[in-house]
């Protein structure tokens, strides 16, 4: 395919606006996949089980299709992008390999928070944007109103908007035509020295690392010797091809094409996303790479049965091969034993990772409360703390801590007017600052209310636990939310520890804002009281900040002789029970003379 017959595009949209459904239709229409009875949603691009279950795209996938237009065969490369804020880096990465994007908007919902953020990423990258209104088959569809919204928000001419139903296939043909007509072909030169962008990689048990690349210039063939600008390592291409939508080997890939390569790359840490590949002996200027991803939410992961640590660690290592944005270090806790401390891009990212761990590796894990990275500024140095156990005991004027800063995000929330008050309240209760709002449109009289966009700054720590679900429930599911990093700001924070019989439980330490310390302390102590089994003696459960006790409950004593309640004198039965009790003792953690089964931590930490 000469490059004038190639188009590289992606579909960008808010979550649930129909990206995967549209991708399926495009692949069917071009004969890339078989058409099933109409209306079924195979979502071939959503490969991972967790994606199918949750209906979200987590890892961007790529597929090539062939479309005949004006008697000429065109190669259309679709680069799928995830829709969720946590995965914004995947979006930026996918868009770097494209010249155009379909901006898909659900015509029953209108412009949502991520519609705005992905639009801006695409525009900044200079992509040709094709606006598309989806779900026009639905009775609640309001194409004119949403088109006006797109005009006022993005300065898009309503005449340029395509109206489709990805579900029924209505209008989808027009998208193929628009891709060919409106999106420019890639501008590289087939004869120039090889220059390829590595934009994703996956790990294959047999072939090692498979990299997804976009050839900017030149031609790549099987057997070619290539080198990485970043690591300077050299490789030989053993296999290459296009994703159609599964891997389809070809003899070469040329400028403008998107495809996969296998080379003798053994370790996935060698595949740097954003790296430039060139031919050995023909060095090129590296392309602007991607920002390295920064973990914003940290949590400890421990096996329920501490004997499983090595197995868990192995599973985590294998999983991070397919998701390199997760950072991993070892951590040990006196309460939970050996574990790993993982860094994630956000809480959904964390949930998805945990679910994948459970699905794919059958791991039973305990995850500690998520923590964001805090900056602790001492008189002579600044330390980034992402584990509460490393947070200084006291941060008042008597300590040598000058101040503590926490990460802030610039949040935007789009919500129907009726819920504006609720959402403002929600933001204030999560320490919002610089709260402001404006209207995206004026509504359409009785049928639907005006949509407002609320902007504010929020501490990141406030949105890592439960903010999303609160937002959804307080807006009856109508609010959409997006955020970007907003730097650090000084904050009044303290470390809260929980004491069992006066001994701290390290795995439960939290960093809290002073304004909420009472409420948080009380709630946790209550929860511990309800979950921790009673002992032979009375056990105080306390929440403390420094030396100060914030909250307390007392666990009353009980007799633990399990045989006491047995009727009669069945000796073997009695022996067996005592035996069982001994065995379970071994699995117990002993904190401040209190025996705690590891499962108790699971129960304590799983509920918010
Ligand atoms: P993420 O991958 O999570 O970002 O979602 P998505 O944008 O890929 O959305 P998806 O394709 O999963 O569609 C979301 C829901 O909308 C599914 O239940 C689809 O069946 C439905 N849907 C998509 N397009 C249409 C359409 O044109 N009409 C109707 N009625 N439903 C649609």
């Amino acid at each position: 395919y000469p490059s004038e017959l190639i188009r590289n595009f992606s579909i960008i949209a808010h979550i649930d606006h129909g990206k995967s459904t549209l991708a399926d239709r495009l692949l069917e229409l071009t004969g890339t996949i078989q058409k099933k009875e109409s209306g079924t949603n195979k979502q071939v691009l959503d490969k991972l089980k967790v994606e199918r279950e949750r209906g979200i795209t987590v890892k961007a996938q790529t597929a090539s299709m062939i479309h005949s237009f004006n008697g000429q065969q065109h190669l259309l490369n679709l680069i799928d992008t995830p829709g969720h804020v946590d995965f914004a880096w995947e979006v930026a990465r996918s868009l770097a390999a494209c010249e155009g994007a379909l901006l898909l908007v659900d015509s029953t919902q209108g412009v949502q928070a991520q519609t705005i953020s992905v639009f801006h990423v695409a525009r900044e990258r200079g992509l040709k944007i094709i606006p598309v209104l989806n779900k026009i088959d639905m009775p609640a569809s309001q194409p004119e109103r949403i088109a006006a919204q797109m005009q006022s928000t993005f300065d898009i001419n309503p005449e340029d908007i395509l109206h489709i139903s990805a579900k029924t296939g209505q209008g989808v043909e027009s998208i193929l035509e628009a891709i060919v007509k409106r999106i420019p072909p890639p501008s590289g030169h087939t004869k120039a020295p090889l220059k390829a962008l590595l934009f994703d990689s996956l790990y294959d048990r047999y072939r090692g690392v498979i990299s997804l690349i976009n050839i900017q210039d030149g031609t790549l063939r099987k057997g070619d010797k290539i080198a990485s600008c970043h690591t300077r390592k050299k490789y030989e291409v053993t296999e290459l091809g296009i994703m159609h939508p599964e891997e389809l080997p070809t003899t070469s890939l040329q400028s403008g094409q998107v495809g996969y390569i296998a080379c003798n790359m053994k370790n996935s840490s060698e595949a740097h996303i954003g790296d430039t590949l060139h031919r050995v002996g023909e060095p090129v200027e590296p392309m602007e790479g991607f920002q390295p991803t920064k973990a914003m939410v940290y949590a400890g992961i421990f096996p329920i049965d501490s004997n499983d640590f090595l197995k868990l660690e192995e599973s985590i290592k294998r999983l991070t091969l397919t998701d390199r944005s997760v950072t991993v270090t070892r951590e040990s806790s006196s309460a939970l034993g050996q574990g790993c401390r993982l860094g994630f891009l956000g809480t959904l990212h964390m949930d998805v990772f945990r679910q994948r761990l459970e699905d794919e590796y059958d791991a039973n894990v305990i995850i500690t409360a998520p923590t964001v990275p805090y900056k602790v500024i001492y008189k002579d140095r600044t330390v980034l703390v992402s584990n509460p156990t490393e947070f200084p005991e006291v941060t008042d004027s008597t300590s040598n801590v000058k101040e503590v800063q926490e990460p802030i995000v610039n949040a935007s929330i789009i919500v129907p007017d009726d819920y504006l008050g609720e959402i403002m309240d929600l933001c204030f209760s999560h320490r919002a600052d610089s709260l402001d709002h404006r209207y995206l449109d004026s509504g359409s009289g009785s049928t639907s209310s005006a949509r407002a966009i609320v902007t504010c700054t929020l501490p990141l720590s406030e949105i890592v636990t439960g903010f999303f679900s609160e937002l959804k429930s307080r807006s009856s599911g109508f609010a959409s939310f997006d955020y970007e990093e907003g730097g650090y700001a000084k904050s009044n924070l303290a470390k809260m520890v929980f004491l069992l019989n006066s001994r701290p439980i390290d795995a439960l330490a939290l960093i809290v804002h002073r304004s909420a310390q009472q409420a948080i302390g009380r709630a946790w102590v209550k929860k511990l009281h309800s979950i921790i089994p009673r002992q032979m003696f009375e056990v105080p459960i306390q929440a403390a900040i420094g030396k100060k006790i914030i909250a307390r409950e007392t666990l009353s004593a009980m007799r633990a002789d399990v045989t006491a309640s047995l009727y009669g004198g069945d000796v073997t039965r009695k022996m067996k029970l005592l035996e069982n009790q001994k065995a379970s003792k071994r699995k117990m953690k002993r904190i401040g003379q209190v025996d705690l089964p590891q499962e108790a931590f699971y129960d304590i930490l799983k509920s918010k």
Side-chain angles (χ1 to χ4, degrees):
Y1 285 88
S3 48
E4 63 270 20
L5 297 180
I6 297 176
R7 299 293 182 273
N8 296 320
F9 72 102
S10 91
I11 308 174
I12 54 177
H14 187 76
I15 193 160
D16 275 349
H17 281 200
K19 268 195 317 280
S20 308
T21 312
L22 175 59
D24 283 358
R25 281 303 89 71
L26 292 172
L27 292 172
E28 282 174 8
L29 211 57
T30 52
T32 316
I33 55 171
Q34 288 295 307
K35 190 170 162 51
K36 287 270 166 67
E37 69 272 29
S38 68
T40 53
N41 204 339
K42 292 193 299 292
Q43 310 219 337
V44 286
L45 293 179
D46 287 356
K47 285 184 185 155
L48 303 167
K49 179 177 169 226
V50 41
E51 294 184 347
R52 286 181 183 276
E53 276 175 4
R54 295 186 171 220
I56 52 164
T57 314
V58 173
K59 202 157 161 56
Q61 308 276 359
T62 300
S64 300
M65 49 199 133
I66 293 157
H67 174 58
S68 203
F69 181 74
N70 276 352
Q72 273 184 313
Q73 303 239 302
H74 288 75
L75 182 67
L76 311 184
N77 297 313
L78 162 62
I79 293 157
D80 192 25
T81 58
H84 193 274
V85 272
D86 280 6
F87 304 100
W89 94 103
E90 288 262 11
V91 177
R93 172 200 301 188
S94 321
L95 294 187
C98 303
E99 282 74 42
L102 306 175
L103 178 70
L104 192 66
V105 178
D106 182 335
S107 61
T108 67
Q109 301 240 315
V111 172
Q112 298 289 319
Q114 271 105 67
T115 318
I116 297 183
S117 59
V118 290
F119 170 83
H120 287 299
V121 178
R123 179 171 275 183
E124 274 161 29
R125 297 214 164 247
L127 301 195
K128 174 71 196 176
I129 291 167
I130 300 177
V132 181
L133 274 177
N134 189 27
K135 307 198 186 178
I136 55 164
D137 61 297
M138 289 179 72
S141 168
Q142 298 180 297
E144 283 76 32
R145 176 183 173 206
I146 309 303
Q149 227 177 50
M150 290 169 83
Q151 183 173 27
S152 67
T153 320
F154 305 126
D155 204 16
I156 281 171
N157 182 349
E159 287 176 7
D160 292 338
I161 303 177
L162 304 175
H163 292 222
I164 67 151
S165 163
K167 189 169 178 184
T168 66
Q170 184 189 349
V172 176
E173 188 83 50
S174 69
I175 289 187
L176 290 171
E177 187 180 327
I179 289 169
V180 174
K181 277 191 171 164
R182 297 194 208 170
I183 296 177
S187 58
H189 305 283
T190 325
K191 297 272 182 296
L194 175 76
K195 189 173 186 178
L197 171 74
L198 192 164
F199 67 92
D200 204 355
S201 75
L202 33 125
Y203 190 79
D204 181 281
R205 211 170 293 185
Y206 304 105
R207 294 171 297 172
V209 180
I210 308 288
S211 302
L212 292 183
I213 59 168
N214 176 337
I215 313 266
Q216 306 267 320
D217 282 318
T219 305
L220 185 63
R221 292 185 188 82
K222 193 171 161 176
D224 280 357
K225 305 254 188 322
I226 55 167
S228 144
C229 283
H230 187 81
T231 63
R232 311 233 166 256
K233 286 198 173 141
K234 295 175 183 151
Y235 305 95
E236 181 176 331
V237 178
T238 51
E239 185 186 333
L240 81 182
I242 59 172
M243 306 296 284
H244 190 62
E246 301 298 330
E247 290 167 10
L248 177 71
T250 57
T251 51
S252 69
L253 287 173
Q254 333 166 334
S255 72
Q257 281 197 303
V258 174
Y260 72 93
I261 58 167
C263 50
N264 46 331
M265 197 185 275
K266 289 279 172 295
N267 198 330
S268 58
S269 62
E270 293 169 51
H272 287 266
I273 307 306
D275 198 355
T276 302
L277 303 175
H278 63 88
R279 204 179 301 281
V280 171
E282 286 181 11
V284 296
E285 196 58 34
M287 284 168 275
E288 192 188 329
F290 296 90
Q291 297 282 332
T293 54
K294 246 191 298 175
M296 290 314 275
V297 182
Y298 292 83
I301 297 203
F302 297 86
I304 286 188
D305 181 342
S306 27
N307 296 323
D308 288 343
F309 171 69
L310 288 175
K311 201 175 128 215
L312 174 69
E313 188 180 47
E314 184 55 35
S315 303
I316 289 173
K317 275 193 184 146
R318 263 187 289 158
L319 208 45
T320 49
L321 293 179
T322 65
D323 185 354
R324 235 89 51 61
S325 50
V326 180
T327 62
V328 187
T329 49
R330 275 196 178 186
E331 169 172 25
S332 79
S333 145
S334 58
L336 296 176
Q338 194 57 254
C340 290
R341 190 144 193 95
L342 304 190
F344 303 98
L345 301 157
T347 41
L348 179 81
H349 188 209
M350 179 172 87
D351 282 352
V352 166
F353 192 88
R354 169 171 48 187
Q355 201 184 337
R356 285 183 64 184
L357 204 58
E358 285 173 355
D359 286 354
E360 295 169 34
Y361 298 102
D362 209 17
N364 286 310
V365 296
I366 297 173
I367 301 200
T368 62
T371 311
V372 302
Y374 295 95
K375 269 186 195 167
V376 180
I377 301 173
Y378 292 93
K379 296 203 170 79
D380 53 346
R381 72 208 143 99
T382 298
V383 180
L384 212 55
V385 173
S386 57
N387 189 337
T389 56
E390 290 156 15
F391 200 81
E393 208 54 57
V394 278
T395 55
D396 60 18
S397 55
T398 61
S399 74
N400 59 352
V401 175
K402 258 171 67 187
E403 68 177 54
V404 178
Q405 297 183 348
E406 64 179 329
I408 299 292
V409 299
N410 298 318
S412 49
I413 299 166
I414 296 183
V415 69
D417 197 26
D418 327 347
Y419 297 98
L420 191 57
E422 269 298 311
I423 297 307
M424 296 268 208
D425 277 354
L426 174 72
C427 292
F428 277 127
S429 70
H430 285 276
R431 302 194 275 130
D433 208 352
S434 319
L435 196 70
D436 200 0
H437 77 280
R438 65 186 166 81
Y439 286 92
L440 286 181
D441 66 12
S442 53
S444 56
S446 56
T447 50
S448 59
S449 54
R451 285 187 164 271
I453 176 163
V454 177
T455 54
C456 62
T457 64
L458 287 167
L460 178 64
S461 65
E462 292 289 332
I463 59 174
V464 300
T465 46
F467 184 79
F468 266 111
S469 47
E470 255 186 277
L471 183 78
K472 285 289 171 201
S473 70
R474 289 176 72 166
S475 67
S476 309
F478 285 117
S480 71
F481 173 59
D482 199 4
Y483 62 86
E484 54 181 31
E485 279 173 43
Y488 274 78
K490 185 179 171 180
S491 186
N492 191 7
L493 301 161
K495 168 154 89 177
M496 180 177 287
V497 292
F498 297 93
L499 308 169
L500 204 53
N501 213 12
S502 309
R503 300 297 294 270
I505 315 171
D506 62 352
L508 299 186
L510 296 174
I511 298 168
V512 298
H513 192 258
R514 291 285 194 158
S515 65
Q517 66 185 40
Q518 284 293 336
I520 294 173
R522 265 196 224 115
W524 274 83
V525 163
K526 269 218 163 67
K527 186 157 83 177
L528 291 172
H529 183 256
S530 70
I531 291 174
I532 294 175
R534 288 203 282 162
Q535 310 285 320
M536 305 277 277
F537 48 91
E538 204 177 82
V539 178
I541 301 171
Q542 297 161 307
I545 287 180
K547 295 214 158 35
K548 191 160 179 254
I549 302 298
I550 301 293
R552 173 189 172 126
E553 293 273 343
T554 307
L555 206 58
S556 54
M558 73 170 284
R559 261 175 65 83
D561 183 356
V562 287
T563 60
S565 61
L566 276 187
Y567 166 77
D570 184 341
V571 177
T572 46
R573 176 97 198 271
K574 208 164 180 171
M575 290 306 288
K576 203 158 175 198
L577 269 167
L578 286 171
E579 206 50 46
N580 281 347
Q581 199 188 31
K582 228 157 87 198
S584 68
K585 268 265 159 59
R586 281 200 294 270
K587 284 192 203 147
M588 296 273 183
K589 282 277 148 43
R590 175 159 277 228
I591 297 167
Q593 313 285 303
V594 177
D595 288 322
L596 261 185
Q598 188 99 332
E599 283 87 351
F601 287 99
Y602 178 80
D603 292 331
I604 292 163
L605 287 162
K606 95 179 164 207
S607 54
K608 290 261 151 62

